[in-house]
Amino acid sequence: ISQAVAARFMDSCSKAGGAELVPVYHGTDAKNHTSIFARGLVVPGHGNDVKVRNGLSHGTGIYTSKIGSAWLSRGFCTEPCVLVCGLLDDAVPVTVTKVLGNFQVTKESDSVRHIGAAIVVFDANRLVPLFEAIARPRSQPSQPSQLSRVLEAVDQQSGQIPRAQHSRKPCAKKFESAVVAFLARRAAMKRRT
């Protein structure tokens, strides 16, 4: 990413207070990746010439998907490649049920909205592209990913619907394994310092 994008995100980190840094996916036309790494992700029409491409059913923002839902972002890609991003998430659980379209808002703040498997980001400074996760064909059947096993355990403890019951496209595991590898490397680097 460009130094300007990194500096803008680091500035947001210093002002974010209790926000949690979480990984999310963003799917878009692969031709946009170079611009995104140079300029950052932007909210369409907010001081830029980026136009809305896929609707605004959950608000004007940058649409991302949660870990475990790579299939959602993958559906907006022109190639088997999604962006893995870092999000400063300060959303809190909603106290009054709110439904937009067919999905319920579960958490929300002025900057972020969790709705279904998506997270809509209204403040572009809280989102930074980290890397591209590229799906490559596998030569043999795969075992459940490490991330899938971890997410299953988290779901069981939290009482959520097991992820195996969600409709997921096969490529989701490939993207998730890239995230697990990245986060493992980051954790190892932090332990060394």
Side-chain angles (χ1 to χ4, degrees), residues 7 34 38 65 99 154:
T34 301
S65 63
V99 176
V154 169

mmCIF file with all atom_site columns, all heavy atoms in Angstrom, residues 7 34 38 65 99 154:
data_model
loop_
_atom_site.group_PDB
_atom_site.id
_atom_site.type_symbol
_atom_site.label_atom_id
_atom_site.label_alt_id
_atom_site.label_comp_id
_atom_site.label_asym_id
_atom_site.label_entity_id
_atom_site.label_seq_id
_atom_site.pdbx_PDB_ins_code
_atom_site.Cartn_x
_atom_site.Cartn_y
_atom_site.Cartn_z
_atom_site.occupancy
_atom_site.B_iso_or_equiv
_atom_site.pdbx_formal_charge
_atom_site.auth_seq_id
_atom_site.auth_comp_id
_atom_site.auth_asym_id
_atom_site.auth_atom_id
_atom_site.pdbx_PDB_model_num
ATOM 1  N N   . ALA A 1 7   ? -0.335  5.886   6.339   1.00 0.00 ? 7   ALA A N   1
ATOM 2  C CA  . ALA A 1 7   ? -0.314  6.981   7.323   1.00 0.00 ? 7   ALA A CA  1
ATOM 3  C C   . ALA A 1 7   ? -1.735  7.357   7.750   1.00 0.00 ? 7   ALA A C   1
ATOM 4  O O   . ALA A 1 7   ? -1.989  7.588   8.939   1.00 0.00 ? 7   ALA A O   1
ATOM 5  C CB  . ALA A 1 7   ? 0.403   8.189   6.737   1.00 0.00 ? 7   ALA A CB  1
ATOM 6  N N   . THR A 1 34  ? -4.923  -1.927  -8.138  1.00 0.00 ? 34  THR A N   1
ATOM 7  C CA  . THR A 1 34  ? -3.779  -1.009  -8.140  1.00 0.00 ? 34  THR A CA  1
ATOM 8  C C   . THR A 1 34  ? -4.181  0.344   -7.575  1.00 0.00 ? 34  THR A C   1
ATOM 9  O O   . THR A 1 34  ? -3.476  0.904   -6.726  1.00 0.00 ? 34  THR A O   1
ATOM 10 C CB  . THR A 1 34  ? -3.217  -0.845  -9.565  1.00 0.00 ? 34  THR A CB  1
ATOM 11 O OG1 . THR A 1 34  ? -2.823  -2.138  -10.040 1.00 0.00 ? 34  THR A OG1 1
ATOM 12 C CG2 . THR A 1 34  ? -2.015  0.083   -9.579  1.00 0.00 ? 34  THR A CG2 1
ATOM 13 N N   . ALA A 1 38  ? -3.038  2.254   -4.023  1.00 0.00 ? 38  ALA A N   1
ATOM 14 C CA  . ALA A 1 38  ? -2.440  3.593   -4.116  1.00 0.00 ? 38  ALA A CA  1
ATOM 15 C C   . ALA A 1 38  ? -3.254  4.645   -3.357  1.00 0.00 ? 38  ALA A C   1
ATOM 16 O O   . ALA A 1 38  ? -2.690  5.477   -2.645  1.00 0.00 ? 38  ALA A O   1
ATOM 17 C CB  . ALA A 1 38  ? -2.304  4.014   -5.578  1.00 0.00 ? 38  ALA A CB  1
ATOM 18 N N   . SER A 1 65  ? -16.942 -8.216  3.726   1.00 0.00 ? 65  SER A N   1
ATOM 19 C CA  . SER A 1 65  ? -17.565 -9.376  4.358   1.00 0.00 ? 65  SER A CA  1
ATOM 20 C C   . SER A 1 65  ? -16.696 -9.867  5.500   1.00 0.00 ? 65  SER A C   1
ATOM 21 O O   . SER A 1 65  ? -15.482 -9.647  5.532   1.00 0.00 ? 65  SER A O   1
ATOM 22 C CB  . SER A 1 65  ? -17.814 -10.490 3.339   1.00 0.00 ? 65  SER A CB  1
ATOM 23 O OG  . SER A 1 65  ? -16.607 -10.963 2.792   1.00 0.00 ? 65  SER A OG  1
ATOM 24 N N   . VAL A 1 99  ? -34.036 -3.924  10.515  1.00 0.00 ? 99  VAL A N   1
ATOM 25 C CA  . VAL A 1 99  ? -33.904 -4.765  9.329   1.00 0.00 ? 99  VAL A CA  1
ATOM 26 C C   . VAL A 1 99  ? -33.763 -3.866  8.113   1.00 0.00 ? 99  VAL A C   1
ATOM 27 O O   . VAL A 1 99  ? -34.526 -2.916  7.936   1.00 0.00 ? 99  VAL A O   1
ATOM 28 C CB  . VAL A 1 99  ? -35.117 -5.704  9.171   1.00 0.00 ? 99  VAL A CB  1
ATOM 29 C CG1 . VAL A 1 99  ? -35.021 -6.514  7.888   1.00 0.00 ? 99  VAL A CG1 1
ATOM 30 C CG2 . VAL A 1 99  ? -35.246 -6.625  10.373  1.00 0.00 ? 99  VAL A CG2 1
ATOM 31 N N   . VAL A 1 154 ? -15.625 -21.353 17.913  1.00 0.00 ? 154 VAL A N   1
ATOM 32 C CA  . VAL A 1 154 ? -16.139 -20.055 18.363  1.00 0.00 ? 154 VAL A CA  1
ATOM 33 C C   . VAL A 1 154 ? -17.657 -20.031 18.247  1.00 0.00 ? 154 VAL A C   1
ATOM 34 O O   . VAL A 1 154 ? -18.360 -19.577 19.154  1.00 0.00 ? 154 VAL A O   1
ATOM 35 C CB  . VAL A 1 154 ? -15.512 -18.902 17.546  1.00 0.00 ? 154 VAL A CB  1
ATOM 36 C CG1 . VAL A 1 154 ? -16.226 -17.594 17.813  1.00 0.00 ? 154 VAL A CG1 1
ATOM 37 C CG2 . VAL A 1 154 ? -14.033 -18.784 17.868  1.00 0.00 ? 154 VAL A CG2 1
#
